[in-house]
């Protein structure tokens, strides 16, 4: 992954699936992450590092990053998106949310970023391997994990069980490396944003993921994806047939879609994210509408 800077690696994961036109809470968090990644590149991924000076500057700069306004955030997003597009690893596609029954008839321009699948997986799997397996962890990897934590990407990358291992691993690294400790004990997220997302309960800094009922997570959860209800009629078919119809529909809308086995169940991988498909009927204006619910699946 040496051909990408820290901020570019982070942005390939953080921007993927984010609204490319409108300002959202999740994308604002990613933009702050881009600013923080650029700062880390300059301060701690260099050959000459004065820990005390770095600690003071990080604390001051992180405070500034938490207060980044919409205009500055948009500038960071545009700059990074243009660099990644020029390298052919980021494009814009119709947002899957535009397929939802509540949006499909409104003629709204909904678009989202999509990172190159190969590069996305290479970055994610590289971080997973380095953190979850025994052995040395580079400072760059530790920084990426922190950036993912601060912008709500952790839940897309690590399962609940893996998050426990991740937390223990990072605490161990922080105890051994003062640079990692400075970064890991810092934050750039805003509590007001977490509250605005209506998170389920906070107790001793443990949060509940609304898609994993009853499971306490080790990291703040930021909703980066939404369930989508798509209306279509597929009569006389089994579950596999309806899933195939959904794949065809999404492909026609410009998405990369494939089936993905997950134990005994079959998920849909849409672009770089996984979804469960639930055929169902909803009532709109007292009229029953047949279709299917696409529900995000986290690791």
């Amino acid at each position: 992954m040496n051909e990408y800077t820290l901020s570019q690696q982070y942005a390939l994961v953080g921007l993927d699936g984010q609204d490319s036109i409108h300002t959202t809470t999740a994308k604002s968090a990613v933009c702050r992450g881009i600013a923080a990644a650029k700062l880390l590149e300059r301060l701690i991924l260099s050959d000459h590092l004065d820990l005390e000076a770095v600690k003071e500057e990080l604390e001051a700069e992180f405070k500034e990053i938490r207060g980044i306004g919409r205009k500055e955030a948009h500038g960071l997003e545009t700059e990074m998106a243009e660099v990644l597009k020029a390298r052919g690893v980021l494009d814009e596609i119709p947002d899957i949310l535009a397929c939802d029954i509540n949006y499909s008839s409104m003629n709204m321009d909904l678009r989202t970023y999509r990172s190159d699948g190969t590069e996305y997986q290479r970055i994610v799997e590289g971080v997973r391997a380095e953190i979850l397996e025994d052995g040395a962890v580079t400072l760059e990897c530790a920084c990426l994990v922190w950036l993912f934590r601060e912008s709500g990407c952790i839940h897309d990358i690590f399962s609940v069980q893996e998050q426990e291992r991740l937390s223990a691993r990072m605490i161990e690294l922080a105890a051994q490396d003062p640079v990692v400790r400075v970064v890991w004990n810092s934050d750039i997220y805003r509590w007001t944003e977490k509250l605005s997302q209506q998170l389920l309960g906070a107790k001793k800094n443990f949060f509940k993921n609304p898609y994993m009922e009853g499971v306490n997570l080790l990291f703040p959860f930021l909703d980066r994806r939404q369930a989508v209800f798509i209306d279509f009629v597929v009569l006389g078919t089994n579950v596999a047939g309806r899933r195939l119809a959904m794949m065809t529909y999404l492909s026609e809308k410009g998405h990369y879609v494939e089936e993905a086995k997950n134990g005994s169940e079959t998920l849909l991988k849409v672009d770089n994210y996984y979804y469960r498909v639930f055929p169902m009927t909803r009532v709109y204006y007292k009229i029953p509408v047949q279709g299917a619910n696409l529900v995000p699946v986290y690791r």
Side-chain angles (χ1 to χ4, degrees), residues 36 39 58-66 146 186-188:
L39 174 66
L58 281 178
E59 290 176 351
E61 293 288 347
F62 283 156
K63 183 177 180 180
E64 292 294 321
I65 288 172
R66 282 193 292 269
W146 176 78
S186 303
D187 65 76
I188 55 170

Side-chain angles (χ1 to χ4, degrees), residues 94-100 112 226 228 230 250 255 270-271 275 294:
D95 194 332
I96 194 172
L97 191 61
C99 298
D100 186 89
T112 186
Q226 300 183 49
V228 179
I230 299 175
L250 291 172
H255 299 280
V270 184
D271 301 318
Y275 293 85
L294 279 178

Side-chain angles (χ1 to χ4, degrees), residues 26-94:
K27 191 171 72 173
S28 294
V30 172
C31 291
R32 290 197 301 275
I34 292 173
K38 287 178 174 291
L39 174 66
L40 294 174
E41 286 173 355
R42 176 169 61 85
L43 288 184
I44 70 174
L45 297 183
S46 60
D47 296 330
H48 306 286
L49 189 140
D50 182 336
L51 182 59
E52 287 303 317
V54 164
K55 182 178 179 181
E56 291 182 9
E57 187 165 355
L58 281 178
E59 290 176 351
E61 293 288 347
F62 283 156
K63 183 177 180 180
E64 292 294 321
I65 288 172
R66 282 193 292 269
I68 284 178
R70 180 175 298 188
K71 184 176 181 180
E72 187 175 354
H74 180 70
L76 288 164
E77 173 195 346
T78 301
E79 177 189 3
M80 183 58 69
E82 288 179 351
V83 170
L84 296 177
K85 286 178 180 179
R87 299 191 63 172
V89 291
L90 187 73
D91 62 354
E92 294 184 48
I93 61 172

